[in-house]
Amino acid sequence: SQQGEEDPQALSIQEGENATMNCSYKTSINNLQWYRQNSGRGLVHLILIRSNEREKHSGRLRVTLDTSKKSSSLLITASRAADTASYFCATPTGGGNKLTFGTGTQLKVEL
Amino acid sequence: EPEVTQTPSHQVTQMGQEVILRCVPISNHLYFYWYRQILGQKVEFLVSFYNNEISEKSEIFDDQFSVERPDGSNFTLKIRSTKLEDSAMYFCASSTEWGSDTQYFGPGTRLTVL
């Protein structure tokens, strides 16, 4: 598997439901970041969780990090149609600042 | 809130032509990056830049690519002789710290090579 793989690849839910996306990575990290990308648009930074943190909240977002399993999850609670986007996890790799992105989860929130 | 800006939003060029993509990073940031995303594919790292020199570059960033910070605010990516496969969305990003901080991305420039 590649550094930064999300699952599921696609997720379709109803407005008001929670959406959970998972990310797995291979190498040691000092942080993991989640980004959102609306179709054909730029990347919006959502949240950064450091390797010594297990959980972090920001509004309706909850991110967990399990370094022993090399995995992270992003939970969006009470989803809205405006949350429809692709969600990517990204990690600094190679000892530098290069971010390696996953393949993303396409979330569709239907009314 | 400060943000990274990029111009143009869309650039169409003929194969073999030179293009320059422009970015204005967030003003107090020290590290600058270019990434690209071919349609339907992952976002890929191209190059990072600090203190007026390249810090790291990927295999994609060959001799056809160059970066420059011509003044105190702009950060440019030049592709000398574009190829069809250079068609992609190019994102500029900036951050304050090395290795541990958030990278803030611009809205991207969609490059179409005909």
Side-chain angles (χ1 to χ4, degrees):
Chain A
S1 62
Q2 300 176 46
Q3 180 81 351
E5 283 194 348
E6 291 92 337
D7 79 88
Q9 288 187 337
L11 180 61
S12 183
I13 59 174
Q14 297 294 312
E15 200 172 48
E17 294 180 338
N18 296 341
T20 300
M21 289 158 269
N22 302 296
C23 167
S24 60
Y25 58 92
K26 294 188 73 177
T27 62
S28 295
I29 60 172
N30 56 34
N31 70 72
L32 184 144
Q33 304 178 37
W34 284 91
Y35 287 84
R36 183 186 74 224
Q37 183 181 36
N38 290 75
S39 180
R41 307 291 294 276
L43 293 156
V44 175
H45 181 260
L46 295 176
I47 197 163
L48 179 153
I49 186 166
R50 303 195 185 280
S51 58
N52 62 352
E53 297 174 309
R54 291 296 166 258
E55 187 171 313
K56 200 163 182 180
H57 297 254
S58 177
R60 293 185 295 113
L61 306 180
R62 174 179 165 250
V63 169
T64 62
L65 180 64
D66 187 335
T67 53
S68 66
K69 295 181 180 177
K70 291 187 167 61
S71 67
S72 175
S73 68
L74 171 67
L75 168 68
I76 303 174
T77 60
S79 62
R80 304 167 182 167
D83 294 328
T84 295
S86 291
Y87 293 81
F88 298 89
C89 66
T91 56
T93 53
N97 245 17
K98 172 179 76 174
L99 281 181
T100 297
F101 282 80
T103 49
T105 293
Q106 283 188 295
L107 173 66
K108 183 175 182 181
V109 182
E110 299 184 79
L111 295 169
Chain B
E1 187 176 327
E3 57 184 22
V4 177
T5 60
Q6 290 185 243
T7 55
S9 57
H10 193 182
Q11 173 93 44
V12 180
T13 190
Q14 295 291 322
M15 191 168 56
Q17 295 296 304
E18 174 184 287
V19 294
I20 297 176
L21 309 183
R22 292 183 167 80
C23 168
V24 179
I26 295 172
S27 62
N28 65 336
H29 285 188
L30 301 176
Y31 300 91
F32 314 114
Y33 317 87
W34 285 100
Y35 292 80
R36 80 172 185 189
Q37 185 182 33
I38 294 171
L39 188 63
Q41 297 187 23
K42 283 187 181 187
V43 176
E44 302 173 289
F45 170 81
L46 292 178
V47 66
S48 58
F49 191 86
Y50 169 70
N51 201 26
N52 282 321
E53 59 183 30
I54 291 173
S55 309
E56 190 174 0
K57 60 183 181 179
S58 70
E59 292 175 354
I60 303 166
F61 195 88
D62 62 22
D63 291 344
Q64 293 299 311
F65 291 86
S66 63
V67 289
E68 191 179 31
R69 188 153 161 82
D71 54 42
S73 59
N74 290 284
F75 180 50
T76 62
L77 174 69
K78 181 192 289 186
I79 309 175
R80 288 190 185 82
S81 179
T82 50
K83 304 175 188 133
L84 295 175
E85 54 264 36
D86 293 328
S87 294
M89 182 76 94
Y90 288 80
F91 295 107
C92 173
S94 67
S95 69
T96 56
E97 294 178 22
W98 182 255
S100 63
D101 202 17
T102 300
Q103 291 186 23
Y104 293 91
F105 283 74
T109 292
R110 181 166 297 285
L111 176 65
T112 302
V113 182
L114 302 175

